[in-house]
Amino acid sequence: MTIKLYELAAAEGDRRFSPFCWRIRMALAHKGLDAEHLPVRFTEKDIIAFSNQGRVPVLVDGDRTVVDSWQIANYLDETYPDKPSLLGDAASRSLTLFVKHWDESVLPPLLFPLIILDIFKNIHEKDREYFRSTREAKLGKTLEEFADRDQAEALEAFRKALTPLRNTLQDTPYLAGDRPAFADYILLGRFQIARCMSPVILLEADDPIYGWRDRMLDAFGGLARHVPAYDL
Amino acid sequence: MTIKLYELAAAEGDRRFSPFCWRIRMALAHKGLDAEHLPVRFTEKDIIAFSNQGRVPVLVDGDRTVVDSWQIANYLDETYPDKPSLLGDAASRSLTLFVKHWDESVLPPLLFPLIILDIFKNIHEKDREYFRSTREAKLGKTLEEFADRDQAEALEAFRKALTPLRNTLQDTPYLAGDRPAFADYILLGRFQIARCMSPVILLEADDPIYGWRDRMLDAFGGLARHVPAYDL
């Protein structure tokens, strides 16, 4: 039975932009596992109600339902140990968890001011009120106020925060060494939400991260490249 | 022939405070390798002139001289492959490099305002002019101006920057998983320069990082604990 992956979709059903869903889309390709990719919009939580929670990605593999991208990556490694590992051994898995927490705590507050209005523009019309009200409640300000920053300054702050990644990629082609693994998919997801939803140029072409992202976009036959996205 | 490790020393010769030297002191214990630990002060560069550069740590193993803590860690893994690995496999090694770059780019600007005057006070009298002039040239201000921040605010900024580490250690006892490895020694070094040189309380007792540091201080018979340091 084919694996099913429920992913967040924009106005166009095939514009998938959740960084967490991208982690798993890449992870499934890494494992060589076929999957059916099903769109879910913010206000279509009924589609994933069977998972007893409201967030994507949701993976359904036979009679198993797994939620949360980190849990799904662990599930895939445990269930398909003969396929290439996503997380590696105990040390590598734990260090990948550090990358995950770095991504999730450091990057969003610097990235979202740059792209949040583009996200708003690209999501489905029926999702806009939900998106605006939930985000504005969290931010304590309107989307427009949150995005009202000097673009050049905001970009510089985002790029500066990428220093540890940049310095690492000066010495190694992938965060996980000679071949990409889940740590790389975590960070690709962060760049992919931007690329799918916004024309903002996040990286300069001479940035080692640019070269890495390019290799990631080429991986698995261009899986992350050949999707509805801004051509960067 | 016993390995020699040249380490940065404060006024008291056995107060060793360089984070980079601490990485290697822990690494040698991890490998179960005995070493002679030799003090070098900032203005005693003649002692390590044989290494053709001016920075510690310098490791001398028979007729091999190795400098730079990252190079030394790699050298130890390559030269003593039967001893417990510091860097693990290619993926783990590359992810550890990310931790190194995170440590080196994110933490110093937030930590040093909190402790730099204490460092200045604890280094050897003969080093003070060198330390002041080199640091002030880099900072573009006096040490006193650099340290002139609201202590509570500076501490909060430092602790906030530790979020990825904190979140990781909520799920795993060590950054490298169930047992410490070089990624842990990198970060212990950063806390150890503070503990050896300053009475500032960097971590609250209920912080998962506090528990991790405590385990690190206990490792190898209390190697990092039972040294000239402030008792935190």
Side-chain angles (χ1 to χ4, degrees), chain A residues 91-92 94-96 98 101-102 105 164-165 167-168 171-172 174-177 183, chain B residues 91-92 94-98 101-102 105 164-165 167-168 172 174-177 183:
Chain A
S92 171
S94 186
L95 291 162
T96 301
F98 178 76
H101 285 304
W102 178 76
S105 65
L165 179 62
N167 291 355
T168 303
D171 273 339
T172 175
Y174 299 103
L175 206 42
Chain B
S92 172
S94 185
L95 291 162
T96 302
L97 186 61
F98 178 75
H101 286 303
W102 178 74
S105 65
L165 179 62
N167 291 355
T168 304
T172 174
Y174 299 102
L175 206 42

PDB file of all heavy atoms in Angstrom, chain A residues 91-92 94-96 98 101-102 105 164-165 167-168 171-172 174-177 183, chain B residues 91-92 94-98 101-102 105 164-165 167-168 172 174-177 183:
ATOM      1  N   ALA A  91      24.798   9.473  17.690  1.00  0.00           N
ATOM      2  CA  ALA A  91      25.469  10.781  17.747  1.00  0.00           C
ATOM      3  C   ALA A  91      24.942  11.698  16.652  1.00  0.00           C
ATOM      4  O   ALA A  91      24.595  12.859  16.888  1.00  0.00           O
ATOM      5  CB  ALA A  91      26.988  10.599  17.605  1.00  0.00           C
ATOM      6  N   SER A  92      24.866  11.164  15.455  1.00  0.00           N
ATOM      7  CA  SER A  92      24.411  11.954  14.312  1.00  0.00           C
ATOM      8  C   SER A  92      22.953  12.383  14.488  1.00  0.00           C
ATOM      9  O   SER A  92      22.568  13.523  14.172  1.00  0.00           O
ATOM     10  CB  SER A  92      24.607  11.106  13.058  1.00  0.00           C
ATOM     11  OG  SER A  92      24.027  11.703  11.955  1.00  0.00           O
ATOM     12  N   SER A  94      21.387  12.909  17.317  1.00  0.00           N
ATOM     13  CA  SER A  94      21.325  13.936  18.345  1.00  0.00           C
ATOM     14  C   SER A  94      21.841  15.283  17.806  1.00  0.00           C
ATOM     15  O   SER A  94      21.271  16.343  18.091  1.00  0.00           O
ATOM     16  CB  SER A  94      22.167  13.453  19.531  1.00  0.00           C
ATOM     17  OG  SER A  94      22.046  14.319  20.611  1.00  0.00           O
ATOM     18  N   LEU A  95      22.883  15.238  17.003  1.00  0.00           N
ATOM     19  CA  LEU A  95      23.411  16.468  16.403  1.00  0.00           C
ATOM     20  C   LEU A  95      22.428  17.037  15.375  1.00  0.00           C
ATOM     21  O   LEU A  95      22.331  18.256  15.209  1.00  0.00           O
ATOM     22  CB  LEU A  95      24.778  16.196  15.772  1.00  0.00           C
ATOM     23  CG  LEU A  95      25.890  15.908  16.790  1.00  0.00           C
ATOM     24  CD1 LEU A  95      27.088  15.214  16.132  1.00  0.00           C
ATOM     25  CD2 LEU A  95      26.346  17.201  17.481  1.00  0.00           C
ATOM     26  N   THR A  96      21.695  16.157  14.706  1.00  0.00           N
ATOM     27  CA  THR A  96      20.663  16.616  13.777  1.00  0.00           C
ATOM     28  C   THR A  96      19.534  17.319  14.538  1.00  0.00           C
ATOM     29  O   THR A  96      18.954  18.294  14.050  1.00  0.00           O
ATOM     30  CB  THR A  96      20.114  15.434  12.951  1.00  0.00           C
ATOM     31  OG1 THR A  96      21.199  14.822  12.230  1.00  0.00           O
ATOM     32  CG2 THR A  96      19.047  15.885  11.962  1.00  0.00           C
ATOM     33  N   PHE A  98      19.978  19.105  17.124  1.00  0.00           N
ATOM     34  CA  PHE A  98      20.481  20.462  17.365  1.00  0.00           C
ATOM     35  C   PHE A  98      20.233  21.351  16.144  1.00  0.00           C
ATOM     36  O   PHE A  98      19.793  22.509  16.282  1.00  0.00           O
ATOM     37  CB  PHE A  98      21.978  20.412  17.714  1.00  0.00           C
ATOM     38  CG  PHE A  98      22.594  21.771  17.927  1.00  0.00           C
ATOM     39  CD1 PHE A  98      22.371  22.473  19.099  1.00  0.00           C
ATOM     40  CD2 PHE A  98      23.376  22.360  16.940  1.00  0.00           C
ATOM     41  CE1 PHE A  98      22.925  23.735  19.293  1.00  0.00           C
ATOM     42  CE2 PHE A  98      23.927  23.618  17.125  1.00  0.00           C
ATOM     43  CZ  PHE A  98      23.706  24.308  18.302  1.00  0.00           C
ATOM     44  N   HIS A 101      16.612  22.353  16.104  1.00  0.00           N
ATOM     45  CA  HIS A 101      16.264  23.406  17.061  1.00  0.00           C
ATOM     46  C   HIS A 101      16.880  24.747  16.663  1.00  0.00           C
ATOM     47  O   HIS A 101      16.303  25.800  16.930  1.00  0.00           O
ATOM     48  CB  HIS A 101      16.687  22.997  18.475  1.00  0.00           C
ATOM     49  CG  HIS A 101      15.778  21.964  19.071  1.00  0.00           C
ATOM     50  ND1 HIS A 101      14.417  22.160  19.186  1.00  0.00           N
ATOM     51  CD2 HIS A 101      16.016  20.720  19.554  1.00  0.00           C
ATOM     52  CE1 HIS A 101      13.866  21.077  19.729  1.00  0.00           C
ATOM     53  NE2 HIS A 101      14.805  20.193  19.954  1.00  0.00           N
ATOM     54  N   TRP A 102      18.050  24.698  16.051  1.00  0.00           N
ATOM     55  CA  TRP A 102      18.634  25.942  15.547  1.00  0.00           C
ATOM     56  C   TRP A 102      17.732  26.519  14.462  1.00  0.00           C
ATOM     57  O   TRP A 102      17.354  27.700  14.503  1.00  0.00           O
ATOM     58  CB  TRP A 102      20.048  25.690  15.003  1.00  0.00           C
ATOM     59  CG  TRP A 102      20.685  26.915  14.436  1.00  0.00           C
ATOM     60  CD1 TRP A 102      21.232  27.961  15.134  1.00  0.00           C
ATOM     61  CD2 TRP A 102      20.842  27.231  13.040  1.00  0.00           C
ATOM     62  NE1 TRP A 102      21.704  28.913  14.249  1.00  0.00           N
ATOM     63  CE2 TRP A 102      21.487  28.492  12.967  1.00  0.00           C
ATOM     64  CE3 TRP A 102      20.508  26.581  11.854  1.00  0.00           C
ATOM     65  CZ2 TRP A 102      21.801  29.101  11.753  1.00  0.00           C
ATOM     66  CZ3 TRP A 102      20.818  27.192  10.642  1.00  0.00           C
ATOM     67  CH2 TRP A 102      21.453  28.438  10.609  1.00  0.00           C
ATOM     68  N   SER A 105      14.335  27.848  16.047  1.00  0.00           N
ATOM     69  CA  SER A 105      14.343  28.966  17.003  1.00  0.00           C
ATOM     70  C   SER A 105      14.994  30.223  16.433  1.00  0.00           C
ATOM     71  O   SER A 105      14.603  31.329  16.781  1.00  0.00           O
ATOM     72  CB  SER A 105      15.033  28.557  18.317  1.00  0.00           C
ATOM     73  OG  SER A 105      16.402  28.288  18.119  1.00  0.00           O
ATOM     74  N   PRO A 164      26.775  30.231  10.957  1.00  0.00           N
ATOM     75  CA  PRO A 164      27.258  28.871  11.262  1.00  0.00           C
ATOM     76  C   PRO A 164      27.064  27.904  10.089  1.00  0.00           C
ATOM     77  O   PRO A 164      27.924  27.066   9.822  1.00  0.00           O
ATOM     78  CB  PRO A 164      26.411  28.441  12.462  1.00  0.00           C
ATOM     79  CG  PRO A 164      25.843  29.689  13.031  1.00  0.00           C
ATOM     80  CD  PRO A 164      25.749  30.678  11.915  1.00  0.00           C
ATOM     81  N   LEU A 165      25.942  28.039   9.402  1.00  0.00           N
ATOM     82  CA  LEU A 165      25.685  27.180   8.238  1.00  0.00           C
ATOM     83  C   LEU A 165      26.674  27.492   7.114  1.00  0.00           C
ATOM     84  O   LEU A 165      27.274  26.595   6.520  1.00  0.00           O
ATOM     85  CB  LEU A 165      24.248  27.397   7.760  1.00  0.00           C
ATOM     86  CG  LEU A 165      23.818  26.600   6.530  1.00  0.00           C
ATOM     87  CD1 LEU A 165      23.883  25.106   6.786  1.00  0.00           C
ATOM     88  CD2 LEU A 165      22.415  27.006   6.069  1.00  0.00           C
ATOM     89  N   ASN A 167      29.667  28.893   7.272  1.00  0.00           N
ATOM     90  CA  ASN A 167      31.034  28.487   7.588  1.00  0.00           C
ATOM     91  C   ASN A 167      31.206  26.973   7.476  1.00  0.00           C
ATOM     92  O   ASN A 167      32.254  26.490   7.061  1.00  0.00           O
ATOM     93  CB  ASN A 167      31.409  28.958   9.000  1.00  0.00           C
ATOM     94  CG  ASN A 167      31.544  30.470   9.070  1.00  0.00           C
ATOM     95  OD1 ASN A 167      31.450  31.155   8.048  1.00  0.00           O
ATOM     96  ND2 ASN A 167      31.745  31.003  10.260  1.00  0.00           N
ATOM     97  N   THR A 168      30.158  26.246   7.826  1.00  0.00           N
ATOM     98  CA  THR A 168      30.233  24.783   7.720  1.00  0.00           C
ATOM     99  C   THR A 168      30.289  24.365   6.258  1.00  0.00           C
ATOM    100  O   THR A 168      31.100  23.516   5.873  1.00  0.00           O
ATOM    101  CB  THR A 168      29.009  24.140   8.403  1.00  0.00           C
ATOM    102  OG1 THR A 168      28.960  24.583   9.762  1.00  0.00           O
ATOM    103  CG2 THR A 168      29.096  22.624   8.377  1.00  0.00           C
ATOM    104  N   ASP A 171      33.383  24.029   4.090  1.00  0.00           N
ATOM    105  CA  ASP A 171      34.274  22.870   4.262  1.00  0.00           C
ATOM    106  C   ASP A 171      33.654  21.543   3.875  1.00  0.00           C
ATOM    107  O   ASP A 171      34.353  20.524   3.859  1.00  0.00           O
ATOM    108  CB  ASP A 171      34.694  22.753   5.743  1.00  0.00           C
ATOM    109  CG  ASP A 171      35.910  23.594   6.034  1.00  0.00           C
ATOM    110  OD1 ASP A 171      36.647  23.918   5.086  1.00  0.00           O
ATOM    111  OD2 ASP A 171      36.125  23.935   7.208  1.00  0.00           O
ATOM    112  N   THR A 172      32.360  21.523   3.638  1.00  0.00           N
ATOM    113  CA  THR A 172      31.692  20.246   3.382  1.00  0.00           C
ATOM    114  C   THR A 172      30.527  20.489   2.424  1.00  0.00           C
ATOM    115  O   THR A 172      29.863  21.521   2.510  1.00  0.00           O
ATOM    116  CB  THR A 172      31.193  19.621   4.714  1.00  0.00           C
ATOM    117  OG1 THR A 172      30.439  18.435   4.432  1.00  0.00           O
ATOM    118  CG2 THR A 172      30.306  20.578   5.491  1.00  0.00           C
ATOM    119  N   TYR A 174      27.647  18.996   2.123  1.00  0.00           N
ATOM    120  CA  TYR A 174      26.341  18.911   2.779  1.00  0.00           C
ATOM    121  C   TYR A 174      26.538  18.998   4.280  1.00  0.00           C
ATOM    122  O   TYR A 174      27.601  18.665   4.802  1.00  0.00           O
ATOM    123  CB  TYR A 174      25.633  17.596   2.408  1.00  0.00           C
ATOM    124  CG  TYR A 174      25.374  17.474   0.936  1.00  0.00           C
ATOM    125  CD1 TYR A 174      26.175  16.655   0.139  1.00  0.00           C
ATOM    126  CD2 TYR A 174      24.361  18.205   0.332  1.00  0.00           C
ATOM    127  CE1 TYR A 174      25.959  16.566  -1.235  1.00  0.00           C
ATOM    128  CE2 TYR A 174      24.134  18.125  -1.033  1.00  0.00           C
ATOM    129  CZ  TYR A 174      24.939  17.313  -1.820  1.00  0.00           C
ATOM    130  OH  TYR A 174      24.727  17.246  -3.167  1.00  0.00           O
ATOM    131  N   LEU A 175      25.512  19.423   4.960  1.00  0.00           N
ATOM    132  CA  LEU A 175      25.580  19.501   6.411  1.00  0.00           C
ATOM    133  C   LEU A 175      25.863  18.125   7.006  1.00  0.00           C
ATOM    134  O   LEU A 175      26.552  17.997   8.022  1.00  0.00           O
ATOM    135  CB  LEU A 175      24.241  20.047   6.915  1.00  0.00           C
ATOM    136  CG  LEU A 175      24.194  20.773   8.234  1.00  0.00           C
ATOM    137  CD1 LEU A 175      25.345  21.720   8.428  1.00  0.00           C
ATOM    138  CD2 LEU A 175      22.874  21.509   8.351  1.00  0.00           C
ATOM    139  N   ALA A 176      25.359  17.094   6.377  1.00  0.00           N
ATOM    140  CA  ALA A 176      25.570  15.729   6.865  1.00  0.00           C
ATOM    141  C   ALA A 176      26.789  15.081   6.217  1.00  0.00           C
ATOM    142  O   ALA A 176      26.936  13.867   6.256  1.00  0.00           O
ATOM    143  CB  ALA A 176      24.325  14.883   6.633  1.00  0.00           C
ATOM    144  N   GLY A 177      27.687  15.872   5.624  1.00  0.00           N
ATOM    145  CA  GLY A 177      28.935  15.334   5.088  1.00  0.00           C
ATOM    146  C   GLY A 177      28.953  15.276   3.579  1.00  0.00           C
ATOM    147  O   GLY A 177      28.622  16.245   2.896  1.00  0.00           O
ATOM    148  N   ALA A 183      19.444  16.454   8.287  1.00  0.00           N
ATOM    149  CA  ALA A 183      19.851  17.815   8.672  1.00  0.00           C
ATOM    150  C   ALA A 183      19.747  18.758   7.466  1.00  0.00           C
ATOM    151  O   ALA A 183      19.323  19.913   7.601  1.00  0.00           O
ATOM    152  CB  ALA A 183      21.275  17.807   9.225  1.00  0.00           C
TER     153      ALA A 183
ATOM    154  N   ALA B  91      29.071  11.866   8.716  1.00  0.00           N
ATOM    155  CA  ALA B  91      27.902  12.712   8.990  1.00  0.00           C
ATOM    156  C   ALA B  91      28.060  13.395  10.343  1.00  0.00           C
ATOM    157  O   ALA B  91      27.857  14.616  10.475  1.00  0.00           O
ATOM    158  CB  ALA B  91      26.624  11.865   8.966  1.00  0.00           C
ATOM    159  N   SER B  92      28.433  12.634  11.321  1.00  0.00           N
ATOM    160  CA  SER B  92      28.576  13.169  12.665  1.00  0.00           C
ATOM    161  C   SER B  92      29.701  14.210  12.727  1.00  0.00           C
ATOM    162  O   SER B  92      29.575  15.252  13.382  1.00  0.00           O
ATOM    163  CB  SER B  92      28.840  11.987  13.605  1.00  0.00           C
ATOM    164  OG  SER B  92      29.175  12.429  14.878  1.00  0.00           O
ATOM    165  N   SER B  94      30.686  16.148  10.293  1.00  0.00           N
ATOM    166  CA  SER B  94      30.233  17.352   9.605  1.00  0.00           C
ATOM    167  C   SER B  94      29.240  18.126  10.479  1.00  0.00           C
ATOM    168  O   SER B  94      29.276  19.368  10.561  1.00  0.00           O
ATOM    169  CB  SER B  94      29.605  16.929   8.277  1.00  0.00           C
ATOM    170  OG  SER B  94      29.250  18.039   7.518  1.00  0.00           O
ATOM    171  N   LEU B  95      28.364  17.425  11.162  1.00  0.00           N
ATOM    172  CA  LEU B  95      27.403  18.078  12.056  1.00  0.00           C
ATOM    173  C   LEU B  95      28.110  18.681  13.272  1.00  0.00           C
ATOM    174  O   LEU B  95      27.686  19.720  13.794  1.00  0.00           O
ATOM    175  CB  LEU B  95      26.325  17.073  12.487  1.00  0.00           C
ATOM    176  CG  LEU B  95      25.379  16.639  11.345  1.00  0.00           C
ATOM    177  CD1 LEU B  95      24.648  15.344  11.710  1.00  0.00           C
ATOM    178  CD2 LEU B  95      24.379  17.749  11.032  1.00  0.00           C
ATOM    179  N   THR B  96      29.190  18.044  13.697  1.00  0.00           N
ATOM    180  CA  THR B  96      29.986  18.612  14.790  1.00  0.00           C
ATOM    181  C   THR B  96      30.653  19.915  14.348  1.00  0.00           C
ATOM    182  O   THR B  96      30.794  20.853  15.137  1.00  0.00           O
ATOM    183  CB  THR B  96      31.044  17.594  15.271  1.00  0.00           C
ATOM    184  OG1 THR B  96      30.383  16.398  15.699  1.00  0.00           O
ATOM    185  CG2 THR B  96      31.867  18.151  16.423  1.00  0.00           C
ATOM    186  N   LEU B  97      31.030  19.966  13.071  1.00  0.00           N
ATOM    187  CA  LEU B  97      31.605  21.197  12.525  1.00  0.00           C
ATOM    188  C   LEU B  97      30.580  22.339  12.578  1.00  0.00           C
ATOM    189  O   LEU B  97      30.930  23.501  12.836  1.00  0.00           O
ATOM    190  CB  LEU B  97      32.068  20.942  11.085  1.00  0.00           C
ATOM    191  CG  LEU B  97      32.828  22.059  10.383  1.00  0.00           C
ATOM    192  CD1 LEU B  97      34.126  22.417  11.109  1.00  0.00           C
ATOM    193  CD2 LEU B  97      33.147  21.666   8.928  1.00  0.00           C
ATOM    194  N   PHE B  98      29.322  22.012  12.354  1.00  0.00           N
ATOM    195  CA  PHE B  98      28.265  23.023  12.479  1.00  0.00           C
ATOM    196  C   PHE B  98      28.185  23.535  13.923  1.00  0.00           C
ATOM    197  O   PHE B  98      28.069  24.746  14.154  1.00  0.00           O
ATOM    198  CB  PHE B  98      26.913  22.446  12.035  1.00  0.00           C
ATOM    199  CG  PHE B  98      25.768  23.405  12.184  1.00  0.00           C
ATOM    200  CD1 PHE B  98      25.595  24.454  11.298  1.00  0.00           C
ATOM    201  CD2 PHE B  98      24.870  23.279  13.240  1.00  0.00           C
ATOM    202  CE1 PHE B  98      24.545  25.356  11.448  1.00  0.00           C
ATOM    203  CE2 PHE B  98      23.821  24.175  13.398  1.00  0.00           C
ATOM    204  CZ  PHE B  98      23.657  25.219  12.496  1.00  0.00           C
ATOM    205  N   HIS B 101      31.024  25.934  14.511  1.00  0.00           N
ATOM    206  CA  HIS B 101      30.823  27.263  13.922  1.00  0.00           C
ATOM    207  C   HIS B 101      29.727  28.031  14.649  1.00  0.00           C
ATOM    208  O   HIS B 101      29.780  29.257  14.742  1.00  0.00           O
ATOM    209  CB  HIS B 101      30.531  27.153  12.425  1.00  0.00           C
ATOM    210  CG  HIS B 101      31.748  26.821  11.622  1.00  0.00           C
ATOM    211  ND1 HIS B 101      32.884  27.604  11.654  1.00  0.00           N
ATOM    212  CD2 HIS B 101      32.042  25.786  10.800  1.00  0.00           C
ATOM    213  CE1 HIS B 101      33.805  27.078  10.861  1.00  0.00           C
ATOM    214  NE2 HIS B 101      33.334  25.975  10.335  1.00  0.00           N
ATOM    215  N   TRP B 102      28.727  27.317  15.141  1.00  0.00           N
ATOM    216  CA  TRP B 102      27.701  27.981  15.949  1.00  0.00           C
ATOM    217  C   TRP B 102      28.349  28.547  17.206  1.00  0.00           C
ATOM    218  O   TRP B 102      28.172  29.727  17.528  1.00  0.00           O
ATOM    219  CB  TRP B 102      26.577  26.995  16.295  1.00  0.00           C
ATOM    220  CG  TRP B 102      25.511  27.606  17.153  1.00  0.00           C
ATOM    221  CD1 TRP B 102      24.560  28.496  16.753  1.00  0.00           C
ATOM    222  CD2 TRP B 102      25.321  27.400  18.559  1.00  0.00           C
ATOM    223  NE1 TRP B 102      23.771  28.842  17.833  1.00  0.00           N
ATOM    224  CE2 TRP B 102      24.216  28.184  18.949  1.00  0.00           C
ATOM    225  CE3 TRP B 102      25.962  26.617  19.520  1.00  0.00           C
ATOM    226  CZ2 TRP B 102      23.748  28.219  20.267  1.00  0.00           C
ATOM    227  CZ3 TRP B 102      25.499  26.640  20.822  1.00  0.00           C
ATOM    228  CH2 TRP B 102      24.405  27.439  21.189  1.00  0.00           C
ATOM    229  N   SER B 105      30.713  31.574  16.298  1.00  0.00           N
ATOM    230  CA  SER B 105      30.178  32.810  15.721  1.00  0.00           C
ATOM    231  C   SER B 105      29.089  33.444  16.590  1.00  0.00           C
ATOM    232  O   SER B 105      28.954  34.665  16.611  1.00  0.00           O
ATOM    233  CB  SER B 105      29.637  32.558  14.301  1.00  0.00           C
ATOM    234  OG  SER B 105      28.527  31.695  14.318  1.00  0.00           O
ATOM    235  N   PRO B 164      18.843  26.812  21.025  1.00  0.00           N
ATOM    236  CA  PRO B 164      18.963  25.530  20.303  1.00  0.00           C
ATOM    237  C   PRO B 164      19.640  24.447  21.153  1.00  0.00           C
ATOM    238  O   PRO B 164      19.243  23.282  21.097  1.00  0.00           O
ATOM    239  CB  PRO B 164      19.840  25.880  19.087  1.00  0.00           C
ATOM    240  CG  PRO B 164      19.785  27.359  18.946  1.00  0.00           C
ATOM    241  CD  PRO B 164      19.514  27.924  20.313  1.00  0.00           C
ATOM    242  N   LEU B 165      20.644  24.838  21.926  1.00  0.00           N
ATOM    243  CA  LEU B 165      21.329  23.884  22.805  1.00  0.00           C
ATOM    244  C   LEU B 165      20.381  23.396  23.896  1.00  0.00           C
ATOM    245  O   LEU B 165      20.263  22.197  24.168  1.00  0.00           O
ATOM    246  CB  LEU B 165      22.565  24.548  23.425  1.00  0.00           C
ATOM    247  CG  LEU B 165      23.370  23.689  24.397  1.00  0.00           C
ATOM    248  CD1 LEU B 165      23.930  22.448  23.717  1.00  0.00           C
ATOM    249  CD2 LEU B 165      24.496  24.502  25.039  1.00  0.00           C
ATOM    250  N   ASN B 167      17.064  23.359  23.969  1.00  0.00           N
ATOM    251  CA  ASN B 167      15.983  22.518  23.451  1.00  0.00           C
ATOM    252  C   ASN B 167      16.482  21.112  23.108  1.00  0.00           C
ATOM    253  O   ASN B 167      15.772  20.129  23.278  1.00  0.00           O
ATOM    254  CB  ASN B 167      15.350  23.175  22.219  1.00  0.00           C
ATOM    255  CG  ASN B 167      14.578  24.437  22.587  1.00  0.00           C
ATOM    256  OD1 ASN B 167      14.442  24.767  23.759  1.00  0.00           O
ATOM    257  ND2 ASN B 167      14.096  25.151  21.587  1.00  0.00           N
ATOM    258  N   THR B 168      17.710  21.043  22.619  1.00  0.00           N
ATOM    259  CA  THR B 168      18.283  19.735  22.299  1.00  0.00           C
ATOM    260  C   THR B 168      18.501  18.920  23.569  1.00  0.00           C
ATOM    261  O   THR B 168      18.155  17.738  23.639  1.00  0.00           O
ATOM    262  CB  THR B 168      19.617  19.912  21.544  1.00  0.00           C
ATOM    263  OG1 THR B 168      19.388  20.707  20.384  1.00  0.00           O
ATOM    264  CG2 THR B 168      20.190  18.570  21.120  1.00  0.00           C
ATOM    265  N   THR B 172      18.034  14.836  25.116  1.00  0.00           N
ATOM    266  CA  THR B 172      19.197  13.962  25.037  1.00  0.00           C
ATOM    267  C   THR B 172      20.202  14.390  26.102  1.00  0.00           C
ATOM    268  O   THR B 172      20.349  15.586  26.354  1.00  0.00           O
ATOM    269  CB  THR B 172      19.824  14.027  23.620  1.00  0.00           C
ATOM    270  OG1 THR B 172      21.039  13.281  23.601  1.00  0.00           O
ATOM    271  CG2 THR B 172      20.142  15.449  23.208  1.00  0.00           C
ATOM    272  N   TYR B 174      23.462  14.270  26.149  1.00  0.00           N
ATOM    273  CA  TYR B 174      24.632  14.949  25.584  1.00  0.00           C
ATOM    274  C   TYR B 174      24.312  15.377  24.156  1.00  0.00           C
ATOM    275  O   TYR B 174      23.459  14.769  23.498  1.00  0.00           O
ATOM    276  CB  TYR B 174      25.854  14.020  25.591  1.00  0.00           C
ATOM    277  CG  TYR B 174      26.246  13.593  26.981  1.00  0.00           C
ATOM    278  CD1 TYR B 174      25.917  12.324  27.459  1.00  0.00           C
ATOM    279  CD2 TYR B 174      26.910  14.473  27.830  1.00  0.00           C
ATOM    280  CE1 TYR B 174      26.251  11.937  28.749  1.00  0.00           C
ATOM    281  CE2 TYR B 174      27.253  14.093  29.125  1.00  0.00           C
ATOM    282  CZ  TYR B 174      26.917  12.837  29.576  1.00  0.00           C
ATOM    283  OH  TYR B 174      27.236  12.460  30.856  1.00  0.00           O
ATOM    284  N   LEU B 175      25.018  16.361  23.696  1.00  0.00           N
ATOM    285  CA  LEU B 175      24.813  16.826  22.331  1.00  0.00           C
ATOM    286  C   LEU B 175      25.103  15.700  21.337  1.00  0.00           C
ATOM    287  O   LEU B 175      24.463  15.594  20.288  1.00  0.00           O
ATOM    288  CB  LEU B 175      25.764  18.013  22.092  1.00  0.00           C
ATOM    289  CG  LEU B 175      25.407  19.039  21.060  1.00  0.00           C
ATOM    290  CD1 LEU B 175      23.940  19.419  21.077  1.00  0.00           C
ATOM    291  CD2 LEU B 175      26.267  20.275  21.258  1.00  0.00           C
ATOM    292  N   ALA B 176      26.065  14.841  21.686  1.00  0.00           N
ATOM    293  CA  ALA B 176      26.416  13.725  20.809  1.00  0.00           C
ATOM    294  C   ALA B 176      25.633  12.464  21.157  1.00  0.00           C
ATOM    295  O   ALA B 176      26.030  11.377  20.759  1.00  0.00           O
ATOM    296  CB  ALA B 176      27.918  13.471  20.859  1.00  0.00           C
ATOM    297  N   GLY B 177      24.537  12.593  21.903  1.00  0.00           N
ATOM    298  CA  GLY B 177      23.678  11.441  22.166  1.00  0.00           C
ATOM    299  C   GLY B 177      23.784  10.939  23.592  1.00  0.00           C
ATOM    300  O   GLY B 177      23.705  11.721  24.541  1.00  0.00           O
ATOM    301  N   ALA B 183      31.536  17.406  20.070  1.00  0.00           N
ATOM    302  CA  ALA B 183      30.559  18.509  20.066  1.00  0.00           C
ATOM    303  C   ALA B 183      30.319  19.006  21.495  1.00  0.00           C
ATOM    304  O   ALA B 183      30.201  20.219  21.735  1.00  0.00           O
ATOM    305  CB  ALA B 183      29.242  18.050  19.438  1.00  0.00           C
TER     306      ALA B 183
END
